[in-house]
Amino acid sequence: MLNHRTRTAALLSGAATAAMLMAAPVLAAEPATLDEVIVTAQKRSQNLQEVPVSVAAITADQLANFAAGGADIRFLAARTPSLNAESSFGRTFPRFYIRGLGNTDFDLNASQPVSLVYDEVVLENPIMKGFPVFDVEQIEVLRGPQGTLFGRNTPAGIISVSSVKPSFETNGYGKVSYGRWNAIEAEGAVGGALIDNVLAARISLSHQRRDGYVDNDFTGEKDAMEGYEDTAGRVQFLYTPTERFTANLNGHFRSMNGTARVFRANIIKKGSNDLVSGFSPYHAYTDGQNTQDVNSRGANLNAQYDFDGITLTSITAYEYVDAFSRGDVDGGVAGKGPGVVPFSVESASKINGVDQFTQELRLASSNDGPLKWQTGLYYFNEKADFANLSYGASSSDVLKRTTVANSVQDNDTWAAFGQLSYAVTEQLTLTGGLRYTEDDKTLVRREVAYNSGNPVAGAVSRAKTSDERVSWDVAADYAFTDDVRGFVRVASGFRAPTIQPRSVNITTANSEKVMSYEAGVKSDLLGKRARVNLTGFYYEVKDQQFTAVGGVSNNNTLLNADKGIGKGFEADIELLPVENLLLTVGTSFNDTEIKDASLYVPACSGGCTVLDPIRTVAGSRQASINGNPFPQAPRWIFNTTARYGIPVGENDEVYAFTDWSYKSTANFFLYESAEFHSDARWIGGLRVGYAYDGGRFDLSAFVRNITDKRGLEGAIDFNNLTGFIIEPRTYGVTARMKF
């Protein structure tokens, strides 16, 4: 249910949009048209309307508003149809879900069925996926399996981030924001020619920091948590010695220090998912430490050589990350509350180092004929050295460690792929692709227990997985008119086998295989002042990988469900009724269901109300998850933006930009309960500003979570009714200059 303030804000926003639409015919003398959107969903630049894939593009202007106030990449949640994002770590380890398909696993070698690709390089480890978004040209969201061109671990889709590349014209920008809790965001870039028409460069920097705003009422420390300092940079060199050869060298880094996610014990009312009476987002009561550090660096070389009608592309990339995150998982103080905290749980996750190397070689046609093709080879190697640490006051170890479980995982993957696209007629184009992949993983886990301050050798466990798989897709695109096209697509994909070393008994999961069917219409209407794209889909997942999180302990357990199904639709709409008013509307419906009558998972032991059938095995309560929706999979997502500008003089403008997103309720875990799910909610933002000198200078004020909506984003279920929440309202001012 929407509260009064949220309903009022939504109604006012809707009324304002309706009023502007009704005024449009009167104001529209010579209406402008929507810009063409170019995407690289098929690894070549194409008009979005001509790609037989359900794709959404988020522009740099939209990103500047969504990320205002220093938001991390989770700002993508519900900003486009069928996309959700969340994290139990805070500003790193984002978990993405497309069409309901994702992974709630919180361990440091977790795989996800949504792949993040940054400047054409896949970032596989979940900590890498939290790299800040700055000086970005566009983000593309590719929905549905992308297993032919992008490979394994993409059965749900792709999020592709493209940074601004160097050019031979001098250009750049600078931006400074100041906001609530002494939040400072400084960002800028500058680039241009070093040698005319031969060598260009671009340097981009981002710095975000914020004071803590959560008091620790147990220790008495004010503003103890939710602060951070996050710095990232990128330098690029573009080398074009001849008309045929182009190379772009990209080096980047990140250094983040702050607090981890704040867990709060017993903040959920039993029998509902409401926050308890008197709850305040500005207070916590905890006896554990809360800290987080992330350091990453990487480089990639993207080189292209144009033969006559053929382009050879080589992308060589190296990525590295180390991280440490420690938190008080029980969310309170054992024996002291708040509420019942039966035992103390404090743990940390540590990445000693993840080294990732990737190499892609691709040959592609570059002529304008009816036949277009590409083929290539891909290699991926990752070595992940990580540890899970537990702490306890009874330990005499100097760091209060009780156990340390160190794991080393090696992952080797190679693939060969190809795609053909043929224009049968001027209206009909057929596309088909094929990929062969081999994936091998080995993991060794060593646990050390601390007794009387001395390390005691624990168990040594090993696991190995291997699979080889063919994925494919076929599509047909038909132009009914110059402005209306339809497509159908059948695509397969898979997520490679995974290993989970959270406990001594290592668990593994076999490959999950996805078969997807979709059909859509893409149209430019009203003289290219409106763009309406609609897609309907149905998919089946065989041997679906799930993670049973918590229940009776702070562990993850991998398992395969017999089958999962998903079906629904997406709609992406842009409208330019008058020159100075741009509207976007997106909505999606995702109906997901787990199909496995024999599959049970541990139910909560923290006092929740389980709604599924229960059985007891060896004293442990287990819940049947057959028929349940996928976790973190809201059925409905709705998003809208409106930007309206009022010209002042010849080159100045007063403008307002508002954006709203809606997510219906979603389960946090595989089982259903009255407590552990999010509520349906709207989240809105607003920016008002003055742009002058043709937009070279801009002063604005912004507010995010404008209604100060409060609610759960996630929970811990094995100890008590512990939860973590969405961020409170933030606001501030921004000054921007571009040249």
Side-chain angles (χ1 to χ4, degrees), residues 522-683:
K522 299 185 177 184
S523 58
D524 291 318
L525 307 173
L526 302 178
K528 295 189 183 298
R529 289 183 291 116
R531 182 174 294 136
V532 180
N533 294 344
L534 305 172
T535 305
F537 62 86
Y538 174 87
Y539 66 86
E540 292 189 358
V541 189
K542 184 179 179 181
D543 297 324
Q544 185 168 359
Q545 293 182 21
F546 282 119
T547 304
V549 176
V552 295
S553 61
N554 186 30
N555 284 326
N556 290 344
T557 302
L558 286 174
L559 51 87
N560 287 108
D562 182 52
K563 186 169 69 172
I565 61 172
K567 55 182 180 292
F569 68 86
E570 295 129 2
D572 295 282
I573 302 170
E574 292 182 81
L575 181 63
L576 189 63
V578 293
E579 184 175 357
N580 299 312
L581 173 63
L582 176 63
L583 306 173
T584 69
V585 176
T587 188
S588 61
F589 175 74
N590 290 270
D591 182 16
T592 61
E593 185 178 1
I594 301 169
K595 294 280 194 177
D596 193 329
S598 63
L599 189 57
Y600 286 73
V601 300
C604 69
S605 58
C608 79
T609 309
V610 178
L611 304 178
D612 296 319
I614 292 290
R615 73 180 185 186
T616 301
V617 178
S620 173
R621 297 168 68 244
Q622 298 182 350
S624 169
I625 62 173
N626 185 48
N628 287 355
F630 303 167
Q632 294 289 357
R635 280 197 167 198
W636 287 100
I637 286 177
F638 180 83
N639 51 79
T640 182
T641 70
R643 188 192 188 280
Y644 188 68
I646 302 174
V648 179
E650 294 184 0
N651 295 312
D652 302 345
E653 179 190 44
V654 175
Y655 66 89
F657 180 99
T658 186
D659 62 279
W660 292 84
S661 66
Y662 170 82
K663 292 192 298 183
S664 61
T665 185
N667 284 347
F668 296 147
F669 306 112
L670 291 171
Y671 62 85
E672 292 195 285
S673 70
E675 294 85 3
F676 293 136
H677 60 89
S678 61
D679 60 350
R681 57 175 174 256
W682 288 87
I683 300 291

Side-chain angles (χ1 to χ4, degrees), residues 686-714:
L686 175 68
R687 180 190 292 275
V688 293
Y690 180 69
Y692 55 103
D693 194 11
R696 287 187 59 209
F697 302 94
D698 188 298
L699 292 173
S700 62
F702 65 86
V703 58
R704 307 302 305 168
N705 190 3
I706 192 170
T707 60
D708 201 21
K709 176 66 179 177
R710 298 178 183 179
L712 294 169
E713 185 178 292

